[in-house]
């Protein structure tokens, strides 16, 4: 069971911003920018760890769900757009990074990660969640 599967099941806490029966979105605990969200599919075993191994329906649904989350991020975080990245090397569970951008270099994964307090994380997650629900 991956770290992300444990987050989905509630074994590990997260700053959830959106969820439906197939997908789950939460704040990255090592964000590049405020509002950096991870979107993951809720997968049956065995877990897919490479996005292009997903079946077409799951992949398309992941992108549509990510779009809704990105629109909520745009409404709550000061940014020019939301960047999308799929690396998938650090956790063996498909995940999409949604990162609020003011400039392209905001999305460099070699940039220092932000250190935000639990209160800041909760406030950001709640703001994005409210915007998501308003969609």
């Amino acid at each position: 069971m991956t770290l992300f599967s444990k987050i989905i099941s509630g074994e590990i806490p997260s700053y959830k911003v959106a969820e439906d029966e197939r997908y789950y979105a939460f704040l990255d605990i090592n964000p590049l920018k405020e509002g950096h969200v991870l979107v993951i599919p809720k997968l049956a075993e065995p877990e897919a760890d490479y996005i292009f191994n997903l079946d077409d329906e799951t992949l398309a649904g992941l992108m549509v769900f990510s779009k809704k989350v990105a629109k909520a991020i745009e409404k709550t975080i000061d940014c020019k757009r939301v960047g999308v990245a799929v690396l998938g090397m650090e956790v063996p569970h498909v995940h999409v990074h949604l990162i609020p951008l003011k400039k392209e270099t905001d999305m460099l994964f070699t940039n220092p990660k932000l250190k935000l307090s639990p209160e800041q994380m909760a406030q950001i997650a709640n703001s994005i969640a409210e915007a998501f629900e308003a969609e």
Side-chain angles (χ1 to χ4, degrees):
M1 183 176 253
T2 70
L3 173 71
F4 290 166
S5 295
K6 290 178 181 181
I7 288 172
I8 291 166
S9 72
E11 290 179 53
I12 295 175
S14 68
Y15 295 97
K16 179 173 75 170
V17 300
E19 179 180 20
D20 69 11
E21 63 281 348
R22 297 181 63 209
Y23 306 99
Y24 190 90
F26 58 100
L27 293 182
D28 190 315
I29 59 168
N30 295 303
L32 289 171
K33 292 295 189 186
E34 287 187 23
H36 179 168
V37 171
L38 299 176
V39 183
I40 58 178
K42 296 176 179 179
L43 300 168
E45 297 293 333
E47 295 159 337
D49 69 349
Y50 180 51
I51 195 164
F52 296 122
N53 287 343
L54 293 175
D55 64 82
D56 291 350
E57 182 182 339
T58 302
L59 176 59
L62 178 63
M63 291 295 101
V64 170
F65 189 82
S66 294
K67 177 183 175 182
K68 292 176 186 175
V69 174
K71 294 294 184 186
I73 293 169
E74 289 174 342
K75 288 181 180 177
T76 58
I77 303 293
D78 180 28
C79 62
K80 289 186 177 180
R81 62 181 51 191
V82 175
V84 179
V86 178
L87 306 174
M89 304 296 265
E90 61 280 1
V91 177
H93 188 122
V94 171
H95 56 288
V96 173
H97 292 263
L98 300 177
I99 304 168
L101 304 175
K102 290 187 179 179
K103 57 190 184 308
E104 285 185 14
T105 56
D106 289 343
M107 200 147 164
L108 294 177
F109 282 81
T110 55
N111 286 345
K113 307 302 185 265
L114 299 180
K115 300 293 183 207
L116 302 173
S117 71
E119 295 78 18
Q120 289 171 301
M121 295 287 280
Q123 187 277 323
I124 293 165
N126 290 335
S127 295
I128 296 170
E130 288 174 11
F132 181 85
E133 292 300 320
E135 281 288 315

